[in-house]
Amino acid sequence: MKDLYPSRIKGNPKIFERMDPVIHDSTEQDGPLNQKELDFYEDNGYLFIPNLFSEAEVEVLQKELKRNMEDNQGSDAPHVVKEAQSDEIRSVFDVHNNDEFFQDLSSHERIVNIAQQLLGSQVYINQSRINFKPGFKGKDFYWHSDFETWHMEDGMPRMRAVSCSIILTDNYHYNGPLLLIPGSHRWYVQCVGETPDNHFEQSLKMQNIGVPDHDSINWLLEKGGKIDSATGPAGSVLFFECNTMHGSNSNISPMPRSNVFFVFNSIENKLVEPFANTSPRPEFIANRTNVKPIEPKAFDFTKKKIAMS
Amino acid sequence: MKDLYPSRIKGNPKIFERMDPVIHDSTEQDGPLNQKELDFYEDNGYLFIPNLFSEAEVEVLQKELKRNMEDNQGSDAPHVVKEAQSDEIRSVFDVHNNDEFFQDLSSHERIVNIAQQLLGSQVYINQSRINFKPGFKGKDFYWHSDFETWHMEDGMPRMRAVSCSIILTDNYHYNGPLLLIPGSHRWYVQCVGETPDNHFEQSLKMQNIGVPDHDSINWLLEKGGKIDSATGPAGSVLFFECNTMHGSNSNISPMPRSNVFFVFNSIENKLVEPFANTSPRPEFIANRTNVKPIEPKAFDFTKKKIAMS
């Protein structure tokens, strides 16, 4: 397959326009978002929906996140990612496959219908994780486009994926919220450097390759005019386009940040061989086997489940 | 002299109420601040004054800051502090002594009159510096009370000093502005650990001792109700009480932050022997010789100086 978005190059990185539409022929007739919301997403590369989940739902989600992290305490499994400097869990990956509660959640119509509308097709989950950014010592995460990595290291051919972050703690300006550059999703920023095999083992903790240069960030910021912060109450959901440039500052405040993170990819955009010519990253980072479209489900996860068998 | 504020202890740190007034008998008759501003400072421990310096003045200040940093490029003098990981200058200390422009600025009535009003006496400069926090890689600075250090390592006997930070770049939520806990100046938080001699050589780059514990920060935050950020346009000035708990997050944004920083101490609060029983830190960090009250001066530093001799 032709590589439409070459990166990890030698020499001077280029910036070029994306070759894929942002919204794939959807209108407000095709899902829960109205035209104003669709237009905002198309122009800016993200959409923050305050209180998409209720307080009661957030309480359940928080409990399940805590329960999952406790289940994984002491685990040496590769999908359980620890802090660089300690044994504390920072993320648990692949929760839509290895955890019944989050598997259900990943098919909840309230998020899946939006993902379908944005991507103009049926969707599947390419990656999922729950994240815990502790208070007092949450580290910063430098600017990056997820797509650049997913394209080069996972073989995602086109820009037709959306990340859905369900925030489970109030996000303030001062506790390391996600920062985004509006409009940056319209431009592909090449990164410099060759990708080593098994790069993911390092890059999940600290990104070194696939990092855009300062000039490109300055250029995007000049175009976008500002940096936006995803601040708001727990239960809000941020949808952001796979190529939107984002990052976060550190968090010295006592308030931790936790969220559930699903990457919805179009069923028409399944992974191929990685464009960096490396071995594919493991399934828990990038699903490539048994990929099926999600059937959106309506259900109330605040109600105790009744055993079906 | 009796140590009213013991710290650097073994065992469990205590929090106790400050024994000094915040405002020393001043009213709005005694200086430029009105009663509402004085009350805000007394209640919160800081006061942010937007645009105290004009755009034209900021331009001069920025130029002089740059000129000073360039003068000091390549210097190995101890008052020139470099980044931990590189040779870039982060701060130049003692500019009210070693730089004519900043010496003049330190006596400018627009700031000195406020310092006198807040401290209820004549004042002198205990410490000064110009700071440059680069974009993209500005590091965070953990919560601390300046007074705790100045008391233990410099022998500042009482809480009767105020820091004056003239911000020379726009401060946004996302480029690492100073964070403050309102009301924290009313409480003295003991820190754990013995102070080694020459601790300052390390602590100017990274603070390890004189660091408050998590429980104390949580306690202060519960009392104060929120974290406040010193955001605003270049030319604004933040006055904050010597015991106000503050810190800052990292800065991945391209926007650097620079400021001029003067610590005004009451002439009635001159330094004694350090309460940590260590050698006094060098003069460029804590002035103890030739201390004289400042004579506030009115002058326009945007006008080119005419040689007087």
Side-chain angles (χ1 to χ4, degrees):
Chain A
M1 188 180 280
K2 186 174 175 343
D3 183 356
L4 289 174
Y5 297 105
S7 186
R8 315 290 167 101
I9 54 146
K10 286 177 195 162
N12 285 328
K14 286 200 190 90
I15 301 178
F16 55 85
E17 235 172 312
R18 69 184 283 152
M19 291 168 214
D20 296 296
V22 178
I23 304 272
H24 288 68
D25 291 323
S26 294
T27 69
E28 60 185 358
Q29 264 73 56
D30 299 306
L33 300 180
N34 62 35
Q35 198 57 44
K36 211 179 132 191
E37 291 169 319
L38 287 172
D39 290 348
F40 186 93
Y41 181 87
E42 182 155 35
D43 289 347
N44 294 282
Y46 54 88
L47 183 68
F48 188 80
I49 307 177
N51 299 111
L52 190 63
F53 291 95
S54 70
E55 270 181 53
E57 287 171 326
V58 168
E59 212 174 293
V60 174
L61 292 169
Q62 278 170 338
K63 230 172 64 188
E64 294 291 341
L65 180 132
K66 195 157 168 262
R67 189 261 317 146
N68 178 295
M69 292 237 166
E70 278 164 11
D71 288 356
N72 284 297
Q73 203 63 52
S75 163
D76 281 333
H79 68 274
V80 178
V81 177
K82 312 274 174 73
E83 289 288 336
Q85 316 269 324
S86 80
D87 217 41
E88 280 175 86
I89 294 178
R90 172 162 136 175
S91 306
V92 179
F93 275 70
D94 214 26
V95 289
H96 72 292
N97 278 322
N98 59 32
D99 186 293
E100 200 187 338
F101 176 84
F102 290 105
Q103 186 159 47
D104 281 351
L105 182 65
S106 73
S107 68
H108 198 290
E109 61 164 19
R110 213 179 302 158
I111 50 177
V112 176
N113 287 349
I114 292 176
Q116 290 184 159
Q117 187 182 14
L118 291 172
L119 302 178
S121 69
Q122 289 190 294
V123 300
Y124 72 98
I125 289 197
N126 179 59
Q127 182 189 100
S128 72
R129 56 182 198 261
I130 55 179
N131 292 308
F132 182 78
K133 190 170 183 173
F136 293 115
K137 53 177 180 181
K139 293 274 168 287
D140 45 23
F141 214 97
Y142 193 71
W143 299 108
H144 62 287
S145 149
D146 289 330
F147 177 77
E148 197 273 346
T149 299
W150 297 343
H151 180 70
M152 296 310 292
E153 301 193 22
D154 299 333
M156 183 182 282
R158 315 288 297 235
M159 295 181 184
R160 199 173 178 180
V162 60
S163 294
C164 164
S165 170
I166 306 172
I167 69 172
L168 299 185
T169 42
D170 294 346
N171 276 11
Y172 302 96
H173 282 297
Y174 49 73
N175 68 338
L178 205 76
L179 304 175
L180 310 116
I181 302 182
S184 55
H185 64 307
R186 298 184 167 278
W187 304 95
Y188 186 66
V189 174
Q190 290 189 321
C191 299
V192 174
E194 209 179 330
T195 316
D197 234 29
N198 293 327
H199 174 227
F200 73 93
E201 288 171 7
Q202 183 51 33
S203 71
L204 292 184
K205 298 193 180 192
M206 181 102 64
Q207 189 84 4
N208 291 315
I209 290 160
V211 172
D213 63 302
H214 290 185
D215 287 350
S216 298
I217 299 293
N218 278 327
W219 189 90
L220 289 174
L221 187 54
E222 204 157 306
K223 286 250 161 201
K226 65 166 185 174
I227 291 172
D228 211 348
S229 312
T231 54
S236 303
V237 177
L238 176 73
F239 287 91
F240 62 107
E241 215 275 339
C242 57
N243 189 44
T244 302
M245 196 61 76
H246 65 285
S248 59
N249 281 323
S250 63
N251 177 22
I252 66 163
S253 93
M255 290 81 151
R257 288 200 317 125
S258 57
N259 68 336
V260 183
F261 191 82
F262 295 124
V263 179
F264 293 103
N265 191 19
S266 167
I267 198 72
E268 293 164 33
N269 195 37
K270 284 184 198 167
L271 305 187
V272 296
E273 290 301 302
F275 291 92
N277 279 320
T278 46
S279 323
R281 298 198 295 176
E283 276 291 314
F284 75 85
I285 301 179
N287 283 191
R288 57 177 71 241
T289 56
N290 293 322
V291 165
K292 282 185 209 92
I294 297 173
E295 203 56 61
K297 289 192 209 91
F299 62 94
D300 181 350
F301 56 80
T302 65
K303 298 273 192 302
K304 235 201 164 87
K305 262 207 183 152
I306 288 141
M308 297 296 276
S309 58
Chain B
M1 188 179 281
K2 185 173 174 345
D3 182 358
L4 291 174
Y5 297 105
S7 186
R8 314 289 169 104
I9 55 148
K10 286 176 193 161
N12 284 330
K14 286 200 190 90
I15 301 178
F16 54 85
E17 235 172 309
R18 70 184 282 151
M19 289 167 216
D20 296 297
V22 178
I23 304 273
H24 288 69
D25 291 325
S26 295
T27 68
E28 61 186 356
Q29 264 74 55
D30 300 306
L33 300 179
N34 63 35
Q35 199 55 46
K36 212 180 132 191
E37 292 169 320
L38 287 171
D39 290 348
F40 186 93
Y41 182 86
E42 183 155 35
D43 290 347
N44 293 283
Y46 54 88
L47 182 68
F48 189 80
I49 307 177
N51 298 111
L52 190 62
F53 291 95
S54 69
E55 269 181 55
E57 288 171 326
V58 167
E59 213 175 292
V60 175
L61 292 169
Q62 278 169 339
K63 231 172 64 189
E64 294 290 341
L65 180 132
K66 197 159 166 258
R67 188 261 317 146
N68 178 294
M69 293 234 164
E70 279 164 12
D71 288 356
N72 285 296
Q73 202 62 53
S75 164
D76 280 333
H79 67 275
V80 178
V81 177
K82 313 274 174 72
E83 289 288 335
Q85 316 270 322
S86 81
D87 217 40
E88 280 175 86
I89 294 178
R90 172 163 134 173
S91 306
V92 178
F93 276 70
D94 215 26
V95 289
H96 71 293
N97 278 322
N98 59 32
D99 186 292
E100 201 188 336
F101 177 84
F102 290 106
Q103 186 160 47
D104 281 351
L105 182 66
S106 74
S107 68
H108 199 289
E109 62 163 18
R110 214 179 303 158
I111 51 176
V112 176
N113 287 349
I114 292 176
Q116 291 184 158
Q117 187 181 16
L118 291 172
L119 302 178
S121 69
Q122 289 190 293
V123 300
Y124 73 97
I125 289 196
N126 180 58
Q127 183 189 102
S128 72
R129 55 182 199 264
I130 53 179
N131 292 308
F132 182 79
K133 191 170 181 172
F136 292 115
K137 54 177 180 182
K139 292 276 168 283
D140 45 24
F141 214 97
Y142 192 71
W143 299 107
H144 62 288
S145 150
D146 289 329
F147 177 77
E148 197 273 345
T149 298
W150 298 341
H151 181 70
M152 297 310 292
E153 302 193 22
D154 299 333
M156 182 180 284
R158 314 288 297 235
M159 295 181 183
R160 199 173 176 179
V162 59
S163 294
C164 165
S165 171
I166 306 172
I167 69 171
L168 299 185
T169 40
D170 294 346
N171 277 9
Y172 303 96
H173 283 297
Y174 48 75
N175 67 338
L178 206 75
L179 304 176
L180 310 116
I181 302 182
S184 55
H185 63 308
R186 298 184 167 276
W187 304 95
Y188 186 66
V189 175
Q190 290 189 321
C191 298
V192 175
E194 211 178 330
T195 315
D197 235 29
N198 295 326
H199 175 227
F200 73 93
E201 289 172 6
Q202 182 51 33
S203 71
L204 292 184
K205 299 196 181 193
M206 180 102 64
Q207 188 85 4
N208 291 315
I209 289 160
V211 173
D213 62 302
H214 290 185
D215 287 350
S216 298
I217 297 294
N218 279 327
W219 189 89
L220 290 174
L221 188 54
E222 203 157 307
K223 285 251 163 201
K226 65 166 184 176
I227 291 171
D228 211 349
S229 312
T231 53
S236 303
V237 177
L238 176 73
F239 288 91
F240 62 106
E241 215 276 338
C242 57
N243 189 45
T244 302
M245 196 60 77
H246 65 285
S248 59
N249 281 324
S250 63
N251 176 22
I252 66 164
S253 91
M255 290 83 154
R257 287 199 319 124
S258 56
N259 68 337
V260 183
F261 191 82
F262 295 123
V263 180
F264 293 104
N265 190 21
S266 168
I267 197 72
E268 294 163 32
N269 195 36
K270 284 184 198 167
L271 304 187
V272 296
E273 289 301 302
F275 291 92
N277 280 320
T278 45
S279 324
R281 299 196 295 177
E283 278 289 315
F284 76 84
I285 301 179
N287 282 191
R288 56 176 71 238
T289 56
N290 295 323
V291 164
K292 282 186 209 91
I294 297 172
E295 205 57 61
K297 290 193 209 88
F299 60 95
D300 182 350
F301 57 79
T302 63
K303 298 271 191 301
K304 231 195 168 96
K305 260 204 186 154
I306 287 136
M308 297 296 275
S309 57

